[in-house]
């Protein structure tokens, strides 16, 4: 009989099949989000999910969506530096209703 595997290994396998990063990579991105965008912007937006390199972000006002769009390249560079290259390669910004 084979040895039991840690639960996170099974979850990572399922996530990979869905095009999502590992649990550790996802947690790292969510934890690094405030530092990647700065405290002011982080208070108006939240990283919600990651799939196939796309980070879905919700914002509380269209003005902050515009601000994120203008700074997307810098935010992605900061995320690369904080969590590793290639985890997030684009943002999908959505205004909360």
């Amino acid at each position: 009989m084979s040895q039991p595997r840690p639960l996170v290994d099974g979850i990572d396998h399922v996530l990979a099949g869905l095009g999502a990063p590992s649990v550790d990579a996802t947690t790292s991105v969510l934890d690094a989000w405030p530092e990647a965008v700065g405290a002011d912007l982080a208070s108006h937006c939240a990283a919600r999910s990651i799939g196939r390199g796309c980070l879905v972000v919700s914002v509380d006002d269209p003005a902050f969506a515009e601000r994120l769009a203008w700074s997307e390249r810098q935010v992605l560079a900061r995320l690369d530096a904080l969590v590793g290259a290639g985890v997030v390669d684009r943002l999908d910004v959505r205004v909360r209703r």
Side-chain angles (χ1 to χ4, degrees):
M1 187 170 220
S2 64
Q3 294 292 326
R5 293 182 0 182
L7 181 59
V8 74
D9 291 349
I11 293 170
D12 282 343
H13 179 75
V14 170
L15 290 172
L18 297 171
S22 69
V23 171
D24 287 341
T26 301
T27 302
S28 295
V29 169
L30 298 177
D31 289 345
W33 181 248
E35 187 175 349
V37 297
D40 179 51
L41 190 52
S43 66
H44 296 280
C45 62
R48 296 293 180 199
S49 64
I50 308 170
R52 303 195 191 297
C54 181
L55 177 62
V56 176
V57 179
S58 65
V59 296
D60 60 12
D61 187 276
F64 292 106
E66 187 71 22
R67 202 164 140 192
L68 268 176
W70 280 101
S71 61
E72 180 174 2
R73 190 172 278 156
Q74 292 86 3
V75 171
L76 294 175
R78 286 187 207 123
L79 285 171
D80 280 354
L82 292 167
V83 302
V87 178
V88 177
D89 56 30
R90 66 189 181 285
L91 302 178
D92 177 6
V93 181
R94 302 174 183 181
V95 179
R96 283 180 246 160
R97 305 261 180 228

